[in-house]
Amino acid sequence: MCKEPKTKLLRLYPPNSNGPTVHRETQTDDAEILSCTVKALKDGHIVAVPTDTIYGLACLAQNSEAVKKIYEVKERNGQKPLAICVGEIQDIYHYCKVKVKEDLLGDLLPGPVTLVFERSEKLNTNLNPFTSLVGVRIPDHAFMRPLCQMCGEPLALTSANISSNTSTVEEFQELWSKLAVVVDGGPIGDQTRQGSTVIDLSILDKYRVIRPGCALSATLDVLEHKYGLSENSKEE
């Protein structure tokens, strides 16, 4: 089923849902959805995926043509960086120069936080070539983590929709025709939900809030009270 070029809308079974069961048009199970999404990514396509905050558009970060395509699909300003998404904390060290304790990473990730570090030489130079920094995520989501693990390399990720309230695949339906796969994980968040909290940790013992997002208070509590980091108000 992955060979057809047209967009595939694939629905996940909702985990621990108290609501009605999602009815599917096909008998595709979640493992098949993972396999199909991985294949689409490895073939250089753009996919829409659920995360722990909002829906995202993803491609392989190491594939320069796919990175170019994701900007075209989203009509995104070429000077706005894409974050990367990985499956495990140890993966961060391959693509970022980390200046904080590993325990700090473990306290914030997986979760609705994007941590910004200096990029390593292993990261695709055509991804965000205008900056030496890169944001990295590990979404706390039962589909996204195994997706990253199965790909074996980072995904480039950007939001699929403009709205900051409840996120559904219907909100970006006008993009479906440009995507190889749309993974429908049901509604995400609520009317107060925003994107991830974005924190710059590229300077030793300092942090800078780039975007407050949905987890600012809990994140600052970890950074300041548990690890003693102080705020860097200057934009480097």
Side-chain angles (χ1 to χ4, degrees):
M1 74 181 191
C2 296
K3 295 182 179 179
E4 299 174 13
K6 66 179 182 179
T7 304
K8 300 182 188 323
L9 176 62
L10 304 175
R11 293 184 173 89
L12 297 170
Y13 284 117
N16 303 321
S17 174
N18 295 322
T21 302
V22 174
H23 295 288
R24 301 165 180 248
E25 297 172 4
T26 68
Q27 294 300 309
T28 311
D29 63 21
D30 291 358
E32 287 183 78
I33 294 175
L34 270 171
S35 296
C36 188
T37 308
V38 169
K39 184 178 188 306
L41 288 164
K42 297 241 179 222
D43 286 345
H45 297 302
I46 312 302
V47 302
V49 289
T51 75
D52 53 353
T53 54
I54 55 179
Y55 276 88
L57 301 182
C59 71
L60 292 186
Q62 301 295 80
N63 184 325
S64 297
E65 285 301 313
V67 169
K68 180 180 177 182
K69 193 184 301 182
I70 204 171
Y71 276 95
E72 293 171 351
V73 167
K74 183 74 183 289
E75 297 182 359
R76 185 175 174 84
N77 183 327
Q79 294 301 305
K80 287 188 175 182
L82 299 174
I84 63 171
C85 180
V86 297
E88 301 289 348
I89 284 175
Q90 51 264 39
D91 296 332
I92 298 174
Y93 292 87
H94 292 297
Y95 304 103
C96 303
K97 298 178 181 178
V98 179
K99 296 181 179 179
V100 297
K101 295 180 178 179
E102 185 172 349
D103 286 348
L104 185 154
L105 300 181
D107 283 338
L108 295 178
L109 301 172
V113 180
T114 300
L115 301 180
V116 177
F117 298 104
E118 187 177 350
R119 60 194 290 152
S120 80
E121 294 74 14
K122 292 183 180 179
L123 190 63
N124 180 6
T125 56
N126 291 316
L127 179 79
N128 311 333
F130 46 83
T131 177
S132 62
L133 305 179
V134 65
V136 61
R137 288 212 62 200
I138 305 179
D140 188 11
H141 192 277
F143 179 80
M144 280 302 293
R145 288 199 70 189
L147 178 66
C148 294
Q149 291 160 355
M150 289 174 67
C151 285
E153 57 183 294
L155 303 182
L157 193 66
T158 185
S159 61
N161 45 359
I162 299 171
S163 172
S164 62
N165 34 343
T166 304
S167 183
T168 67
V169 294
E170 286 76 21
E171 288 184 4
F172 55 92
Q173 195 164 354
E174 72 278 4
L175 299 181
W176 288 7
S177 63
K178 301 176 183 179
L179 308 174
V181 172
V182 175
V183 179
D184 184 357
I188 300 173
D190 55 38
Q191 291 195 352
T192 64
R193 198 61 175 269
Q194 299 174 327
S196 66
T197 294
V198 183
I199 303 289
D200 184 347
L201 295 176
S202 62
I203 298 176
L204 186 65
D205 296 329
K206 299 282 187 179
Y207 75 85
R208 181 168 65 89
V209 178
I210 296 177
R211 183 176 71 193
C214 63
L216 181 62
S217 177
T219 301
L220 295 188
D221 187 57
V222 169
L223 296 177
E224 294 179 352
H225 298 140
K226 187 168 183 179
Y227 293 97
L229 273 64
S230 59
E231 184 174 9
N232 175 27
S233 58
K234 294 182 180 180
E235 291 198 18
E236 300 296 329

